PDB file of all heavy atoms in Angstrom:
ATOM      1  N   LEU U   1     103.023 112.171  99.357  1.00  0.00           N
ATOM      2  CA  LEU U   1     103.914 111.433  98.461  1.00  0.00           C
ATOM      3  C   LEU U   1     103.513 111.642  97.000  1.00  0.00           C
ATOM      4  O   LEU U   1     104.382 111.738  96.117  1.00  0.00           O
ATOM      5  CB  LEU U   1     103.915 109.942  98.808  1.00  0.00           C
ATOM      6  CG  LEU U   1     104.581 109.558 100.128  1.00  0.00           C
ATOM      7  CD1 LEU U   1     104.344 108.090 100.437  1.00  0.00           C
ATOM      8  CD2 LEU U   1     106.080 109.855 100.102  1.00  0.00           C
ATOM      9  N   ASP U   2     102.221 111.714  96.749  1.00  0.00           N
ATOM     10  CA  ASP U   2     101.746 112.027  95.395  1.00  0.00           C
ATOM     11  C   ASP U   2     102.270 113.388  94.940  1.00  0.00           C
ATOM     12  O   ASP U   2     102.691 113.566  93.793  1.00  0.00           O
ATOM     13  CB  ASP U   2     100.218 112.042  95.351  1.00  0.00           C
ATOM     14  CG  ASP U   2      99.597 110.651  95.424  1.00  0.00           C
ATOM     15  OD1 ASP U   2     100.296 109.666  95.110  1.00  0.00           O
ATOM     16  OD2 ASP U   2      98.405 110.559  95.799  1.00  0.00           O
ATOM     17  N   VAL U   3     102.237 114.360  95.854  1.00  0.00           N
ATOM     18  CA  VAL U   3     102.725 115.705  95.543  1.00  0.00           C
ATOM     19  C   VAL U   3     104.217 115.670  95.212  1.00  0.00           C
ATOM     20  O   VAL U   3     104.671 116.287  94.232  1.00  0.00           O
ATOM     21  CB  VAL U   3     102.453 116.673  96.713  1.00  0.00           C
ATOM     22  CG1 VAL U   3     103.148 118.012  96.500  1.00  0.00           C
ATOM     23  CG2 VAL U   3     100.956 116.873  96.909  1.00  0.00           C
ATOM     24  N   CYS U   4     104.991 114.969  96.027  1.00  0.00           N
ATOM     25  CA  CYS U   4     106.436 114.864  95.779  1.00  0.00           C
ATOM     26  C   CYS U   4     106.707 114.264  94.406  1.00  0.00           C
ATOM     27  O   CYS U   4     107.583 114.743  93.664  1.00  0.00           O
ATOM     28  CB  CYS U   4     107.095 114.008  96.858  1.00  0.00           C
ATOM     29  SG  CYS U   4     107.135 114.754  98.495  1.00  0.00           S
ATOM     30  N   LYS U   5     105.963 113.231  94.064  1.00  0.00           N
ATOM     31  CA  LYS U   5     106.126 112.592  92.757  1.00  0.00           C
ATOM     32  C   LYS U   5     105.810 113.587  91.642  1.00  0.00           C
ATOM     33  O   LYS U   5     106.529 113.680  90.638  1.00  0.00           O
ATOM     34  CB  LYS U   5     105.187 111.393  92.660  1.00  0.00           C
ATOM     35  CG  LYS U   5     105.416 110.499  91.461  1.00  0.00           C
ATOM     36  CD  LYS U   5     106.506 109.497  91.763  1.00  0.00           C
ATOM     37  CE  LYS U   5     106.509 108.370  90.756  1.00  0.00           C
ATOM     38  NZ  LYS U   5     107.521 107.338  91.082  1.00  0.00           N
ATOM     39  N   GLU U   6     104.745 114.340  91.842  1.00  0.00           N
ATOM     40  CA  GLU U   6     104.303 115.312  90.837  1.00  0.00           C
ATOM     41  C   GLU U   6     105.361 116.372  90.566  1.00  0.00           C
ATOM     42  O   GLU U   6     105.587 116.763  89.412  1.00  0.00           O
ATOM     43  CB  GLU U   6     103.005 115.974  91.306  1.00  0.00           C
ATOM     44  CG  GLU U   6     102.479 117.055  90.385  1.00  0.00           C
ATOM     45  CD  GLU U   6     101.362 117.870  91.015  1.00  0.00           C
ATOM     46  OE1 GLU U   6     100.685 117.368  91.929  1.00  0.00           O
ATOM     47  OE2 GLU U   6     101.177 119.037  90.598  1.00  0.00           O
ATOM     48  N   VAL U   7     106.026 116.850  91.626  1.00  0.00           N
ATOM     49  CA  VAL U   7     106.988 117.948  91.461  1.00  0.00           C
ATOM     50  C   VAL U   7     108.413 117.460  91.228  1.00  0.00           C
ATOM     51  O   VAL U   7     109.338 118.261  91.108  1.00  0.00           O
ATOM     52  CB  VAL U   7     106.949 118.906  92.679  1.00  0.00           C
ATOM     53  CG1 VAL U   7     105.569 119.527  92.819  1.00  0.00           C
ATOM     54  CG2 VAL U   7     107.374 118.199  93.965  1.00  0.00           C
ATOM     55  N   GLY U   8     108.621 116.140  91.175  1.00  0.00           N
ATOM     56  CA  GLY U   8     109.931 115.608  90.829  1.00  0.00           C
ATOM     57  C   GLY U   8     110.909 115.451  91.968  1.00  0.00           C
ATOM     58  O   GLY U   8     112.120 115.377  91.742  1.00  0.00           O
ATOM     59  N   ILE U   9     110.397 115.382  93.202  1.00  0.00           N
ATOM     60  CA  ILE U   9     111.262 115.116  94.350  1.00  0.00           C
ATOM     61  C   ILE U   9     111.252 113.614  94.646  1.00  0.00           C
ATOM     62  O   ILE U   9     110.185 113.005  94.783  1.00  0.00           O
ATOM     63  CB  ILE U   9     110.801 115.899  95.595  1.00  0.00           C
ATOM     64  CG1 ILE U   9     111.097 117.394  95.423  1.00  0.00           C
ATOM     65  CG2 ILE U   9     111.483 115.380  96.859  1.00  0.00           C
ATOM     66  CD1 ILE U   9     110.690 118.246  96.611  1.00  0.00           C
ATOM     67  N   ASP U  10     112.431 113.010  94.718  1.00  0.00           N
ATOM     68  CA  ASP U  10     112.532 111.602  95.109  1.00  0.00           C
ATOM     69  C   ASP U  10     112.170 111.457  96.584  1.00  0.00           C
ATOM     70  O   ASP U  10     112.597 112.277  97.408  1.00  0.00           O
ATOM     71  CB  ASP U  10     113.953 111.081  94.895  1.00  0.00           C
ATOM     72  CG  ASP U  10     114.341 111.002  93.428  1.00  0.00           C
ATOM     73  OD1 ASP U  10     113.430 110.896  92.585  1.00  0.00           O
ATOM     74  OD2 ASP U  10     115.543 111.050  93.141  1.00  0.00           O
ATOM     75  N   THR U  11     111.416 110.417  96.920  1.00  0.00           N
ATOM     76  CA  THR U  11     111.002 110.235  98.302  1.00  0.00           C
ATOM     77  C   THR U  11     111.369 108.854  98.830  1.00  0.00           C
ATOM     78  O   THR U  11     111.564 107.906  98.064  1.00  0.00           O
ATOM     79  CB  THR U  11     109.482 110.424  98.476  1.00  0.00           C
ATOM     80  OG1 THR U  11     108.789 109.525  97.587  1.00  0.00           O
ATOM     81  CG2 THR U  11     109.075 111.852  98.185  1.00  0.00           C
ATOM     82  N   SER U  12     111.451 108.780 100.143  1.00  0.00           N
ATOM     83  CA  SER U  12     111.725 107.509 100.804  1.00  0.00           C
ATOM     84  C   SER U  12     111.049 107.494 102.166  1.00  0.00           C
ATOM     85  O   SER U  12     110.672 108.538 102.708  1.00  0.00           O
ATOM     86  CB  SER U  12     113.233 107.302 100.962  1.00  0.00           C
ATOM     87  OG  SER U  12     113.784 108.308 101.799  1.00  0.00           O
ATOM     88  N   LEU U  13     110.920 106.292 102.711  1.00  0.00           N
ATOM     89  CA  LEU U  13     110.314 106.099 104.025  1.00  0.00           C
ATOM     90  C   LEU U  13     111.241 105.258 104.894  1.00  0.00           C
ATOM     91  O   LEU U  13     111.701 104.196 104.464  1.00  0.00           O
ATOM     92  CB  LEU U  13     108.994 105.328 103.909  1.00  0.00           C
ATOM     93  CG  LEU U  13     107.708 106.051 103.546  1.00  0.00           C
ATOM     94  CD1 LEU U  13     106.588 105.023 103.419  1.00  0.00           C
ATOM     95  CD2 LEU U  13     107.369 107.079 104.603  1.00  0.00           C
ATOM     96  N   THR U  14     111.512 105.723 106.103  1.00  0.00           N
ATOM     97  CA  THR U  14     112.094 104.874 107.133  1.00  0.00           C
ATOM     98  C   THR U  14     111.004 104.670 108.169  1.00  0.00           C
ATOM     99  O   THR U  14     110.504 105.635 108.748  1.00  0.00           O
ATOM    100  CB  THR U  14     113.347 105.512 107.759  1.00  0.00           C
ATOM    101  OG1 THR U  14     114.358 105.627 106.751  1.00  0.00           O
ATOM    102  CG2 THR U  14     113.880 104.649 108.884  1.00  0.00           C
ATOM    103  N   THR U  15     110.617 103.432 108.406  1.00  0.00           N
ATOM    104  CA  THR U  15     109.381 103.135 109.107  1.00  0.00           C
ATOM    105  C   THR U  15     109.467 101.807 109.842  1.00  0.00           C
ATOM    106  O   THR U  15     110.282 100.949 109.488  1.00  0.00           O
ATOM    107  CB  THR U  15     108.225 103.068 108.076  1.00  0.00           C
ATOM    108  OG1 THR U  15     107.045 102.545 108.676  1.00  0.00           O
ATOM    109  CG2 THR U  15     108.574 102.167 106.894  1.00  0.00           C
ATOM    110  N   ASN U  16     108.623 101.623 110.855  1.00  0.00           N
ATOM    111  CA  ASN U  16     108.513 100.285 111.445  1.00  0.00           C
ATOM    112  C   ASN U  16     107.459  99.461 110.721  1.00  0.00           C
ATOM    113  O   ASN U  16     107.315  98.273 110.971  1.00  0.00           O
ATOM    114  CB  ASN U  16     108.247 100.342 112.956  1.00  0.00           C
ATOM    115  CG  ASN U  16     106.932 101.020 113.322  1.00  0.00           C
ATOM    116  OD1 ASN U  16     105.881 100.787 112.717  1.00  0.00           O
ATOM    117  ND2 ASN U  16     106.976 101.860 114.365  1.00  0.00           N
ATOM    118  N   SER U  17     106.696 100.081 109.842  1.00  0.00           N
ATOM    119  CA  SER U  17     105.741  99.481 108.899  1.00  0.00           C
ATOM    120  C   SER U  17     104.522  98.824 109.535  1.00  0.00           C
ATOM    121  O   SER U  17     103.681  98.283 108.809  1.00  0.00           O
ATOM    122  CB  SER U  17     106.444  98.483 107.954  1.00  0.00           C
ATOM    123  OG  SER U  17     106.539  97.196 108.499  1.00  0.00           O
ATOM    124  N   VAL U  18     104.397  98.878 110.841  1.00  0.00           N
ATOM    125  CA  VAL U  18     103.225  98.261 111.478  1.00  0.00           C
ATOM    126  C   VAL U  18     101.914  98.877 110.974  1.00  0.00           C
ATOM    127  O   VAL U  18     100.932  98.157 110.764  1.00  0.00           O
ATOM    128  CB  VAL U  18     103.333  98.340 113.016  1.00  0.00           C
ATOM    129  CG1 VAL U  18     102.048  97.855 113.678  1.00  0.00           C
ATOM    130  CG2 VAL U  18     104.523  97.512 113.506  1.00  0.00           C
ATOM    131  N   PRO U  19     101.843 100.208 110.734  1.00  0.00           N
ATOM    132  CA  PRO U  19     100.580 100.787 110.259  1.00  0.00           C
ATOM    133  C   PRO U  19     100.293 100.554 108.770  1.00  0.00           C
ATOM    134  O   PRO U  19      99.300 101.068 108.254  1.00  0.00           O
ATOM    135  CB  PRO U  19     100.754 102.291 110.536  1.00  0.00           C
ATOM    136  CG  PRO U  19     101.884 102.395 111.506  1.00  0.00           C
ATOM    137  CD  PRO U  19     102.780 101.263 111.144  1.00  0.00           C
ATOM    138  N   PHE U  20     101.142  99.820 108.067  1.00  0.00           N
ATOM    139  CA  PHE U  20     100.875  99.548 106.653  1.00  0.00           C
ATOM    140  C   PHE U  20      99.566  98.767 106.499  1.00  0.00           C
ATOM    141  O   PHE U  20      99.218  97.934 107.336  1.00  0.00           O
ATOM    142  CB  PHE U  20     102.001  98.705 106.039  1.00  0.00           C
ATOM    143  CG  PHE U  20     103.228  99.468 105.636  1.00  0.00           C
ATOM    144  CD1 PHE U  20     103.634 100.607 106.300  1.00  0.00           C
ATOM    145  CD2 PHE U  20     104.017  99.020 104.589  1.00  0.00           C
ATOM    146  CE1 PHE U  20     104.786 101.296 105.940  1.00  0.00           C
ATOM    147  CE2 PHE U  20     105.166  99.689 104.200  1.00  0.00           C
ATOM    148  CZ  PHE U  20     105.555 100.827 104.877  1.00  0.00           C
ATOM    149  N   ASN U  21      98.865  99.050 105.396  1.00  0.00           N
ATOM    150  CA  ASN U  21      97.727  98.222 104.987  1.00  0.00           C
ATOM    151  C   ASN U  21      97.756  98.141 103.464  1.00  0.00           C
ATOM    152  O   ASN U  21      98.636  98.732 102.823  1.00  0.00           O
ATOM    153  CB  ASN U  21      96.403  98.807 105.503  1.00  0.00           C
ATOM    154  CG  ASN U  21      96.194 100.252 105.079  1.00  0.00           C
ATOM    155  OD1 ASN U  21      96.317 100.588 103.902  1.00  0.00           O
ATOM    156  ND2 ASN U  21      95.904 101.131 106.042  1.00  0.00           N
ATOM    157  N   GLU U  22      96.829  97.422 102.864  1.00  0.00           N
ATOM    158  CA  GLU U  22      96.892  97.213 101.411  1.00  0.00           C
ATOM    159  C   GLU U  22      96.814  98.521 100.641  1.00  0.00           C
ATOM    160  O   GLU U  22      97.503  98.708  99.633  1.00  0.00           O
ATOM    161  CB  GLU U  22      95.769  96.265 100.972  1.00  0.00           C
ATOM    162  CG  GLU U  22      96.010  94.828 101.396  1.00  0.00           C
ATOM    163  CD  GLU U  22      95.137  93.847 100.627  1.00  0.00           C
ATOM    164  OE1 GLU U  22      94.643  94.201  99.545  1.00  0.00           O
ATOM    165  OE2 GLU U  22      94.965  92.730 101.123  1.00  0.00           O
ATOM    166  N   THR U  23      95.996  99.465 101.129  1.00  0.00           N
ATOM    167  CA  THR U  23      95.807 100.717 100.405  1.00  0.00           C
ATOM    168  C   THR U  23      97.042 101.612 100.475  1.00  0.00           C
ATOM    169  O   THR U  23      97.557 102.072  99.450  1.00  0.00           O
ATOM    170  CB  THR U  23      94.598 101.484 100.950  1.00  0.00           C
ATOM    171  OG1 THR U  23      93.432 100.668 100.821  1.00  0.00           O
ATOM    172  CG2 THR U  23      94.384 102.780 100.180  1.00  0.00           C
ATOM    173  N   ASN U  24      97.537 101.870 101.698  1.00  0.00           N
ATOM    174  CA  ASN U  24      98.679 102.784 101.781  1.00  0.00           C
ATOM    175  C   ASN U  24      99.969 102.134 101.281  1.00  0.00           C
ATOM    176  O   ASN U  24     100.857 102.820 100.760  1.00  0.00           O
ATOM    177  CB  ASN U  24      98.836 103.381 103.189  1.00  0.00           C
ATOM    178  CG  ASN U  24      99.144 102.380 104.279  1.00  0.00           C
ATOM    179  OD1 ASN U  24      99.652 101.290 104.042  1.00  0.00           O
ATOM    180  ND2 ASN U  24      98.840 102.752 105.517  1.00  0.00           N
ATOM    181  N   THR U  25     100.100 100.816 101.413  1.00  0.00           N
ATOM    182  CA  THR U  25     101.296 100.143 100.908  1.00  0.00           C
ATOM    183  C   THR U  25     101.413 100.314  99.401  1.00  0.00           C
ATOM    184  O   THR U  25     102.504 100.559  98.867  1.00  0.00           O
ATOM    185  CB  THR U  25     101.286  98.650 101.271  1.00  0.00           C
ATOM    186  OG1 THR U  25     101.213  98.507 102.690  1.00  0.00           O
ATOM    187  CG2 THR U  25     102.553  97.959 100.782  1.00  0.00           C
ATOM    188  N   GLU U  26     100.293 100.209  98.703  1.00  0.00           N
ATOM    189  CA  GLU U  26     100.285 100.430  97.253  1.00  0.00           C
ATOM    190  C   GLU U  26     100.810 101.824  96.915  1.00  0.00           C
ATOM    191  O   GLU U  26     101.643 101.997  96.027  1.00  0.00           O
ATOM    192  CB  GLU U  26      98.860 100.266  96.722  1.00  0.00           C
ATOM    193  CG  GLU U  26      98.627 100.777  95.318  1.00  0.00           C
ATOM    194  CD  GLU U  26      99.071  99.821  94.234  1.00  0.00           C
ATOM    195  OE1 GLU U  26      99.129  98.606  94.507  1.00  0.00           O
ATOM    196  OE2 GLU U  26      99.361 100.290  93.126  1.00  0.00           O
ATOM    197  N   ASN U  27     100.341 102.832  97.666  1.00  0.00           N
ATOM    198  CA  ASN U  27     100.783 104.201  97.433  1.00  0.00           C
ATOM    199  C   ASN U  27     102.268 104.360  97.740  1.00  0.00           C
ATOM    200  O   ASN U  27     103.011 104.980  96.972  1.00  0.00           O
ATOM    201  CB  ASN U  27      99.959 105.168  98.285  1.00  0.00           C
ATOM    202  CG  ASN U  27     100.419 106.609  98.166  1.00  0.00           C
ATOM    203  OD1 ASN U  27     101.381 107.015  98.808  1.00  0.00           O
ATOM    204  ND2 ASN U  27      99.736 107.388  97.337  1.00  0.00           N
ATOM    205  N   PHE U  28     102.707 103.799  98.859  1.00  0.00           N
ATOM    206  CA  PHE U  28     104.103 103.935  99.260  1.00  0.00           C
ATOM    207  C   PHE U  28     105.041 103.328  98.212  1.00  0.00           C
ATOM    208  O   PHE U  28     106.043 103.942  97.829  1.00  0.00           O
ATOM    209  CB  PHE U  28     104.348 103.270 100.607  1.00  0.00           C
ATOM    210  CG  PHE U  28     103.546 103.827 101.755  1.00  0.00           C
ATOM    211  CD1 PHE U  28     103.307 103.054 102.887  1.00  0.00           C
ATOM    212  CD2 PHE U  28     103.019 105.109 101.711  1.00  0.00           C
ATOM    213  CE1 PHE U  28     102.573 103.568 103.955  1.00  0.00           C
ATOM    214  CE2 PHE U  28     102.275 105.624 102.765  1.00  0.00           C
ATOM    215  CZ  PHE U  28     102.052 104.843 103.894  1.00  0.00           C
TER     216      PHE U  28
END
């Protein structure tokens, strides 16, 4: 996702979100 942001591609997530935690949620 960092790479996509760097190169100017818009990103999105379709997810059940169960694996989210404080660290990855911040990034997402």
Side-chain angles (χ1 to χ4, degrees):
L1 290 172
D2 287 339
V3 171
C4 291
K5 190 85 165 183
E6 177 192 336
V7 299
I9 289 181
D10 292 336
T11 56
S12 63
L13 278 176
T14 296
T15 170
N16 62 44
S17 86
V18 173
F20 279 31
N21 55 51
E22 288 197 20
T23 301
N24 64 23
T25 301
E26 166 81 25
N27 176 279
F28 300 157

